[in-house]
Amino acid sequence: MVDVQGTVADGFEPVRDAFAANFTRHGERGAAMVLYREGEKVVDLWGGTKAPDTNTSDTKAPDTNTSDTNTSDTRAPDDGERGPGASGGGPEPWTQDTAQVVRSVTKGVAAAVPLLLHQRGQLDLDGRVSTYWPEFKAAGKERVLVRHLLAHRTGVPVLDTPLTPAEAVDGISGPRAVAAQRPVWEPGTAHGYHAQTYSWLLGELVRRVTGRTIGRWIAEEIARPLGLDLWLGLPEEQRARVGRIAAVEALAAPAAHGPRIRPKRSVAEAYRDPESLTRRAFAAITPVPDENDPAYLAAELPASGGVATAEALARFYAALIGPLPSARTARSGGRLFAPATLTMARTEESAGPDRVLVVGTRYGLGYMLHGPACPLLGPGSFGHPGRGGSLAFADPEARIGFAYVTNGMRRGVTADPRAQALVRAVRTSLAAREA
């Protein structure tokens, strides 16, 4: 049995139980989970090892079977779940200081940048992207708005010529490719998850507006003032803290937990078809990058390349919605979003069939919203999952910031059963406290 470390406040014992159960019930390898409530940390848990004890060489496309019990599971190709560990192999234990590649959880952190720029009067969300980035208007994109980019409505989730891993991180090829790409739907008329291209769309926009890379902006304006162990562009001196991610197979569900559920036929077919928007969106970087490689970790890819502790992500989301007593900044007592900005972040911009993920999804400005494809705590929750399992979000009504990070990557984009077990436990704990 895994020795779970950490603490929970009175009333949050169900969260500790759910976290421990993930190791036996769902095949967890190494993970951490932190919860802030009303600006104070009430759950801080970690356990397992920094490097999953699994063979990570398997990069085959997914089949149609899944032991997950959530029918909204949107399964992604196994693209980038291999390679040498950033911190080496072996049974080194996960500690309170362990940081982890969090994949698309990064999108939620990165989305705060344009919203804060708007809050400070430096960026017009209803302005055209080409106002700030003239080259972007090529190939029929002259009417793309900044809000379209944040709500996955730009129509550029794929690249006709995918980038190599080296091109993806060079800071030049990505912005040039998305600027030249013709949209696959009329911008603003539909939505579809920009799994990889979000990196270059958002990163270049921020650079054009501020003169800084998005990783530097996050470090200087968010991470350092709030004391967050969170990086978009991992410094060399922090590499030893980072766990190695790897693909893991889901354990077979006991009969008592219900039957095995297959994803919808349309979803499975989309992931198998190399010509579908689904496969092409995730293959915008080809061949798949080694996400454990130091060069990848040092790159600034706001779609997928962030490295963080669970503590940092939970604290970040807590700071979006309310003050943090121990924040190292006088601005708004540590609160990042003004009330109007918070409203914009979680106001629905896109909803319905997602042209990339195929299932129905909901997006605010840069954030996934609570719904069947991405179940969070409740209707007002906003945040972002990471392909493979990690999840971070805020719920202003419950006054919480939640984060779960894992190194065991499963083949799902949203609604990972490990994260969902923790969310349910948080809901149970909060309901008991309010009773």
Side-chain angles (χ1 to χ4, degrees):
M1 177 176 291
V2 172
D3 184 19
V4 171
Q5 302 288 315
T7 59
V8 296
D10 289 346
F12 287 93
E13 292 84 359
V15 181
R16 181 178 58 206
D17 294 342
F19 184 80
N22 276 345
F23 287 89
T24 56
R25 184 174 297 170
H26 295 300
E28 188 73 273
R29 299 300 201 276
M33 186 260 170
V34 173
L35 183 73
Y36 272 76
R37 187 169 188 249
E38 297 179 338
E40 300 290 347
K41 185 162 52 176
V42 295
V43 175
D44 186 5
L45 298 169
W46 64 92
T49 60
K50 287 175 68 174
D53 54 345
T54 182
N55 183 346
T56 64
S57 62
D58 178 19
T59 57
K60 66 182 180 180
D63 59 25
T64 59
N65 289 317
T66 173
S67 60
D68 297 351
T69 57
N70 189 316
T71 57
S72 65
D73 178 37
T74 49
R75 294 167 63 79
D78 191 359
D79 52 350
E81 300 170 348
R82 57 180 174 172
S87 57
E92 185 177 358
W94 190 296
T95 70
Q96 191 173 22
D97 290 334
T98 298
Q100 189 61 59
V101 179
V102 294
R103 291 184 160 178
S104 287
V105 170
T106 313
K107 290 182 173 77
V109 177
V113 179
L115 291 172
L116 289 171
L117 291 173
H118 174 76
Q119 182 173 292
R120 299 177 188 183
Q122 297 175 255
L123 179 65
D124 182 2
L125 298 178
D126 290 310
R128 296 183 178 183
V129 173
S130 60
T131 300
Y132 307 98
W133 179 5
E135 298 91 335
F136 187 74
K137 66 183 177 182
K141 302 190 300 298
E142 62 275 359
R143 296 184 181 276
V144 175
L145 306 181
V146 173
R147 69 172 56 249
H148 292 157
L149 189 157
L150 293 174
H152 297 265
R153 304 180 70 83
T154 304
V156 190
V158 303
L159 295 177
D160 290 339
T161 302
L163 302 182
T164 67
E167 291 170 334
V169 302
D170 67 18
I172 298 172
S173 301
R176 182 181 296 160
V178 292
Q181 179 68 40
R182 183 168 296 281
V184 293
W185 65 76
E186 183 180 349
T189 63
H191 77 280
Y193 188 48
H194 288 52
Q196 302 280 20
T197 57
Y198 192 85
S199 280
W200 311 301
L201 292 167
L202 184 56
E204 185 65 9
L205 176 65
V206 170
R207 190 186 72 82
R208 297 292 179 118
V209 172
T210 69
R212 289 183 275 180
T213 66
I214 190 168
R216 179 182 168 191
W217 202 99
I218 289 171
E220 294 175 350
E221 303 290 341
I222 297 176
R224 290 175 194 166
L226 293 177
L228 306 182
D229 288 336
L230 182 159
W231 304 273
L232 185 56
L234 183 73
E236 183 175 0
E237 63 270 18
Q238 299 294 340
R239 286 183 194 168
R241 297 179 58 183
V242 182
R244 179 173 61 82
I245 63 173
V248 297
E249 293 298 324
L251 297 180
H257 291 175
R260 294 171 59 123
I261 304 296
R262 294 177 183 267
K264 294 179 180 178
R265 181 180 298 275
S266 57
V267 175
E269 290 174 349
Y271 282 115
R272 284 198 300 265
D273 181 2
E275 300 302 317
S276 71
L277 291 183
T278 308
R279 286 298 291 263
R280 292 176 63 202
F282 284 99
I285 304 174
T286 299
V288 297
D290 175 2
E291 294 171 276
N292 293 307
D293 180 59
Y296 184 90
L297 298 176
E300 298 184 18
L301 294 174
S304 60
V307 176
T309 62
E311 153 72 22
L313 290 167
R315 187 173 172 82
F316 163 76
Y317 274 101
L320 292 185
I321 65 174
L324 293 174
S326 57
R328 305 175 199 164
T329 178
R331 181 185 287 130
S332 302
R335 176 171 178 162
L336 291 176
F337 282 173
T341 307
L342 176 59
T343 297
M344 287 189 295
R346 61 185 185 137
T347 296
E348 184 179 278
E349 292 279 332
S350 299
D354 187 302
R355 292 202 176 185
V356 171
L357 297 181
V358 182
V359 299
T361 54
R362 299 179 66 229
Y363 297 94
L365 288 175
Y367 296 95
M368 278 195 173
L369 305 180
H370 175 74
C374 184
L376 303 175
L377 187 69
S381 302
F382 68 101
H384 217 287
R387 177 174 53 85
S390 296
L391 174 67
F393 66 88
D395 189 291
E397 285 69 36
R399 305 180 299 283
I400 68 159
F402 170 104
Y404 158 73
V405 301
T406 178
N407 61 14
M409 300 291 106
R410 295 175 60 166
R411 296 186 184 184
V413 178
T414 65
D416 183 273
R418 297 163 297 177
Q420 289 305 303
L422 296 170
V423 172
R424 289 193 297 271
V426 170
R427 189 180 298 118
T428 296
S429 298
L430 292 173
R433 293 171 68 90
E434 296 295 331

